[in-house]
mmCIF file with all atom_site columns, all heavy atoms in Angstrom:
data_model
loop_
_atom_site.group_PDB
_atom_site.id
_atom_site.type_symbol
_atom_site.label_atom_id
_atom_site.label_alt_id
_atom_site.label_comp_id
_atom_site.label_asym_id
_atom_site.label_entity_id
_atom_site.label_seq_id
_atom_site.pdbx_PDB_ins_code
_atom_site.Cartn_x
_atom_site.Cartn_y
_atom_site.Cartn_z
_atom_site.occupancy
_atom_site.B_iso_or_equiv
_atom_site.pdbx_formal_charge
_atom_site.auth_seq_id
_atom_site.auth_comp_id
_atom_site.auth_asym_id
_atom_site.auth_atom_id
_atom_site.pdbx_PDB_model_num
ATOM   1  N  N   . PHE A 1 206 ? -55.735 18.108 -117.323 1.00 0.00 ? 971  PHE A N   1
ATOM   2  C  CA  . PHE A 1 206 ? -56.138 19.391 -117.907 1.00 0.00 ? 971  PHE A CA  1
ATOM   3  C  C   . PHE A 1 206 ? -56.823 20.266 -116.855 1.00 0.00 ? 971  PHE A C   1
ATOM   4  O  O   . PHE A 1 206 ? -56.499 21.443 -116.683 1.00 0.00 ? 971  PHE A O   1
ATOM   5  C  CB  . PHE A 1 206 ? -57.072 19.190 -119.107 1.00 0.00 ? 971  PHE A CB  1
ATOM   6  C  CG  . PHE A 1 206 ? -57.628 20.494 -119.625 1.00 0.00 ? 971  PHE A CG  1
ATOM   7  C  CD1 . PHE A 1 206 ? -56.836 21.350 -120.380 1.00 0.00 ? 971  PHE A CD1 1
ATOM   8  C  CD2 . PHE A 1 206 ? -58.929 20.886 -119.325 1.00 0.00 ? 971  PHE A CD2 1
ATOM   9  C  CE1 . PHE A 1 206 ? -57.331 22.566 -120.826 1.00 0.00 ? 971  PHE A CE1 1
ATOM   10 C  CE2 . PHE A 1 206 ? -59.440 22.101 -119.768 1.00 0.00 ? 971  PHE A CE2 1
ATOM   11 C  CZ  . PHE A 1 206 ? -58.638 22.943 -120.531 1.00 0.00 ? 971  PHE A CZ  1
ATOM   12 N  N   . CYS A 1 273 ? -58.221 24.964 -127.136 1.00 0.00 ? 1038 CYS A N   1
ATOM   13 C  CA  . CYS A 1 273 ? -58.402 24.715 -125.702 1.00 0.00 ? 1038 CYS A CA  1
ATOM   14 C  C   . CYS A 1 273 ? -59.635 25.486 -125.232 1.00 0.00 ? 1038 CYS A C   1
ATOM   15 O  O   . CYS A 1 273 ? -59.768 26.664 -125.535 1.00 0.00 ? 1038 CYS A O   1
ATOM   16 C  CB  . CYS A 1 273 ? -57.162 25.193 -124.950 1.00 0.00 ? 1038 CYS A CB  1
ATOM   17 S  SG  . CYS A 1 273 ? -57.415 25.367 -123.169 1.00 0.00 ? 1038 CYS A SG  1
ATOM   18 N  N   . PRO A 1 274 ? -60.545 24.841 -124.485 1.00 0.00 ? 1039 PRO A N   1
ATOM   19 C  CA  . PRO A 1 274 ? -61.759 25.547 -124.037 1.00 0.00 ? 1039 PRO A CA  1
ATOM   20 C  C   . PRO A 1 274 ? -61.440 26.688 -123.067 1.00 0.00 ? 1039 PRO A C   1
ATOM   21 O  O   . PRO A 1 274 ? -62.285 27.548 -122.839 1.00 0.00 ? 1039 PRO A O   1
ATOM   22 C  CB  . PRO A 1 274 ? -62.579 24.458 -123.350 1.00 0.00 ? 1039 PRO A CB  1
ATOM   23 C  CG  . PRO A 1 274 ? -61.666 23.310 -123.124 1.00 0.00 ? 1039 PRO A CG  1
ATOM   24 C  CD  . PRO A 1 274 ? -60.536 23.431 -124.091 1.00 0.00 ? 1039 PRO A CD  1
ATOM   25 N  N   . ARG A 1 275 ? -60.226 26.720 -122.524 1.00 0.00 ? 1040 ARG A N   1
ATOM   26 C  CA  . ARG A 1 275 ? -59.896 27.766 -121.570 1.00 0.00 ? 1040 ARG A CA  1
ATOM   27 C  C   . ARG A 1 275 ? -59.154 28.927 -122.228 1.00 0.00 ? 1040 ARG A C   1
ATOM   28 O  O   . ARG A 1 275 ? -59.442 30.079 -121.969 1.00 0.00 ? 1040 ARG A O   1
ATOM   29 C  CB  . ARG A 1 275 ? -59.042 27.161 -120.446 1.00 0.00 ? 1040 ARG A CB  1
ATOM   30 C  CG  . ARG A 1 275 ? -58.989 28.005 -119.187 1.00 0.00 ? 1040 ARG A CG  1
ATOM   31 C  CD  . ARG A 1 275 ? -58.180 27.298 -118.107 1.00 0.00 ? 1040 ARG A CD  1
ATOM   32 N  NE  . ARG A 1 275 ? -58.869 26.143 -117.547 1.00 0.00 ? 1040 ARG A NE  1
ATOM   33 C  CZ  . ARG A 1 275 ? -58.248 25.080 -117.030 1.00 0.00 ? 1040 ARG A CZ  1
ATOM   34 N  NH1 . ARG A 1 275 ? -56.929 25.014 -117.046 1.00 0.00 ? 1040 ARG A NH1 1
ATOM   35 N  NH2 . ARG A 1 275 ? -58.945 24.082 -116.524 1.00 0.00 ? 1040 ARG A NH2 1
ATOM   36 N  N   . CYS A 1 276 ? -58.185 28.625 -123.129 1.00 0.00 ? 1041 CYS A N   1
ATOM   37 C  CA  . CYS A 1 276 ? -57.338 29.710 -123.647 1.00 0.00 ? 1041 CYS A CA  1
ATOM   38 C  C   . CYS A 1 276 ? -57.278 29.769 -125.178 1.00 0.00 ? 1041 CYS A C   1
ATOM   39 O  O   . CYS A 1 276 ? -56.702 30.690 -125.741 1.00 0.00 ? 1041 CYS A O   1
ATOM   40 C  CB  . CYS A 1 276 ? -55.930 29.589 -123.080 1.00 0.00 ? 1041 CYS A CB  1
ATOM   41 S  SG  . CYS A 1 276 ? -54.991 28.252 -123.848 1.00 0.00 ? 1041 CYS A SG  1
ATOM   42 N  N   . GLY A 1 277 ? -57.821 28.780 -125.863 1.00 0.00 ? 1042 GLY A N   1
ATOM   43 C  CA  . GLY A 1 277 ? -57.850 28.832 -127.324 1.00 0.00 ? 1042 GLY A CA  1
ATOM   44 C  C   . GLY A 1 277 ? -56.637 28.242 -128.017 1.00 0.00 ? 1042 GLY A C   1
ATOM   45 O  O   . GLY A 1 277 ? -56.651 28.024 -129.231 1.00 0.00 ? 1042 GLY A O   1
ATOM   46 N  N   . THR A 1 278 ? -55.585 27.921 -127.264 1.00 0.00 ? 1043 THR A N   1
ATOM   47 C  CA  . THR A 1 278 ? -54.401 27.266 -127.863 1.00 0.00 ? 1043 THR A CA  1
ATOM   48 C  C   . THR A 1 278 ? -54.813 25.884 -128.403 1.00 0.00 ? 1043 THR A C   1
ATOM   49 O  O   . THR A 1 278 ? -55.702 25.242 -127.852 1.00 0.00 ? 1043 THR A O   1
ATOM   50 C  CB  . THR A 1 278 ? -53.304 27.079 -126.777 1.00 0.00 ? 1043 THR A CB  1
ATOM   51 O  OG1 . THR A 1 278 ? -53.035 28.347 -126.201 1.00 0.00 ? 1043 THR A OG1 1
ATOM   52 C  CG2 . THR A 1 278 ? -52.036 26.486 -127.357 1.00 0.00 ? 1043 THR A CG2 1
ATOM   53 N  N   . ILE A 1 280 ? -55.014 22.094 -128.860 1.00 0.00 ? 1045 ILE A N   1
ATOM   54 C  CA  . ILE A 1 280 ? -54.723 20.926 -128.022 1.00 0.00 ? 1045 ILE A CA  1
ATOM   55 C  C   . ILE A 1 280 ? -53.655 20.084 -128.716 1.00 0.00 ? 1045 ILE A C   1
ATOM   56 O  O   . ILE A 1 280 ? -53.741 19.826 -129.918 1.00 0.00 ? 1045 ILE A O   1
ATOM   57 C  CB  . ILE A 1 280 ? -56.002 20.074 -127.810 1.00 0.00 ? 1045 ILE A CB  1
ATOM   58 C  CG1 . ILE A 1 280 ? -57.105 20.886 -127.115 1.00 0.00 ? 1045 ILE A CG1 1
ATOM   59 C  CG2 . ILE A 1 280 ? -55.690 18.799 -127.021 1.00 0.00 ? 1045 ILE A CG2 1
ATOM   60 C  CD1 . ILE A 1 280 ? -56.757 21.399 -125.745 1.00 0.00 ? 1045 ILE A CD1 1
ATOM   61 N  N   . CYS A 1 293 ? -53.229 20.844 -123.197 1.00 0.00 ? 1058 CYS A N   1
ATOM   62 C  CA  . CYS A 1 293 ? -53.071 22.204 -123.718 1.00 0.00 ? 1058 CYS A CA  1
ATOM   63 C  C   . CYS A 1 293 ? -51.659 22.682 -123.365 1.00 0.00 ? 1058 CYS A C   1
ATOM   64 O  O   . CYS A 1 293 ? -51.331 22.795 -122.183 1.00 0.00 ? 1058 CYS A O   1
ATOM   65 C  CB  . CYS A 1 293 ? -54.105 23.142 -123.117 1.00 0.00 ? 1058 CYS A CB  1
ATOM   66 S  SG  . CYS A 1 293 ? -53.721 24.870 -123.501 1.00 0.00 ? 1058 CYS A SG  1
ATOM   67 N  N   . PRO A 1 294 ? -50.824 22.997 -124.378 1.00 0.00 ? 1059 PRO A N   1
ATOM   68 C  CA  . PRO A 1 294 ? -49.445 23.399 -124.104 1.00 0.00 ? 1059 PRO A CA  1
ATOM   69 C  C   . PRO A 1 294 ? -49.359 24.723 -123.320 1.00 0.00 ? 1059 PRO A C   1
ATOM   70 O  O   . PRO A 1 294 ? -48.319 24.982 -122.709 1.00 0.00 ? 1059 PRO A O   1
ATOM   71 C  CB  . PRO A 1 294 ? -48.826 23.573 -125.491 1.00 0.00 ? 1059 PRO A CB  1
ATOM   72 C  CG  . PRO A 1 294 ? -49.759 22.901 -126.448 1.00 0.00 ? 1059 PRO A CG  1
ATOM   73 C  CD  . PRO A 1 294 ? -51.117 22.938 -125.824 1.00 0.00 ? 1059 PRO A CD  1
ATOM   74 N  N   . SER A 1 295 ? -50.418 25.538 -123.328 1.00 0.00 ? 1060 SER A N   1
ATOM   75 C  CA  . SER A 1 295 ? -50.362 26.786 -122.558 1.00 0.00 ? 1060 SER A CA  1
ATOM   76 C  C   . SER A 1 295 ? -50.853 26.603 -121.133 1.00 0.00 ? 1060 SER A C   1
ATOM   77 O  O   . SER A 1 295 ? -50.238 27.070 -120.186 1.00 0.00 ? 1060 SER A O   1
ATOM   78 C  CB  . SER A 1 295 ? -51.220 27.865 -123.216 1.00 0.00 ? 1060 SER A CB  1
ATOM   79 O  OG  . SER A 1 295 ? -50.755 28.104 -124.509 1.00 0.00 ? 1060 SER A OG  1
ATOM   80 N  N   . CYS A 1 296 ? -51.975 25.918 -120.959 1.00 0.00 ? 1061 CYS A N   1
ATOM   81 C  CA  . CYS A 1 296 ? -52.538 25.748 -119.617 1.00 0.00 ? 1061 CYS A CA  1
ATOM   82 C  C   . CYS A 1 296 ? -51.786 24.692 -118.811 1.00 0.00 ? 1061 CYS A C   1
ATOM   83 O  O   . CYS A 1 296 ? -51.866 24.686 -117.577 1.00 0.00 ? 1061 CYS A O   1
ATOM   84 C  CB  . CYS A 1 296 ? -54.010 25.329 -119.700 1.00 0.00 ? 1061 CYS A CB  1
ATOM   85 S  SG  . CYS A 1 296 ? -55.071 26.550 -120.478 1.00 0.00 ? 1061 CYS A SG  1
ATOM   86 N  N   . GLN A 1 297 ? -51.147 23.767 -119.489 1.00 0.00 ? 1062 GLN A N   1
ATOM   87 C  CA  . GLN A 1 297 ? -50.445 22.695 -118.783 1.00 0.00 ? 1062 GLN A CA  1
ATOM   88 C  C   . GLN A 1 297 ? -48.964 22.776 -119.137 1.00 0.00 ? 1062 GLN A C   1
ATOM   89 O  O   . GLN A 1 297 ? -48.486 22.047 -120.010 1.00 0.00 ? 1062 GLN A O   1
ATOM   90 C  CB  . GLN A 1 297 ? -51.015 21.325 -119.189 1.00 0.00 ? 1062 GLN A CB  1
ATOM   91 C  CG  . GLN A 1 297 ? -52.471 21.114 -118.803 1.00 0.00 ? 1062 GLN A CG  1
ATOM   92 C  CD  . GLN A 1 297 ? -53.083 19.926 -119.516 1.00 0.00 ? 1062 GLN A CD  1
ATOM   93 O  OE1 . GLN A 1 297 ? -53.728 20.081 -120.560 1.00 0.00 ? 1062 GLN A OE1 1
ATOM   94 N  NE2 . GLN A 1 297 ? -52.891 18.732 -118.971 1.00 0.00 ? 1062 GLN A NE2 1
HETATM 95 ZN ZN1 . ZN  B 2 .   ? -55.323 26.180 -122.666 1.00 0.00 ? 610  ZN  B ZN1 1
#
Side-chain angles (χ1 to χ4, degrees):
F971 173 76
C1038 164
R1040 198 177 289 152
C1041 75
T1043 305
I1045 300 299
C1058 169
S1060 300
C1061 297
Q1062 296 166 265

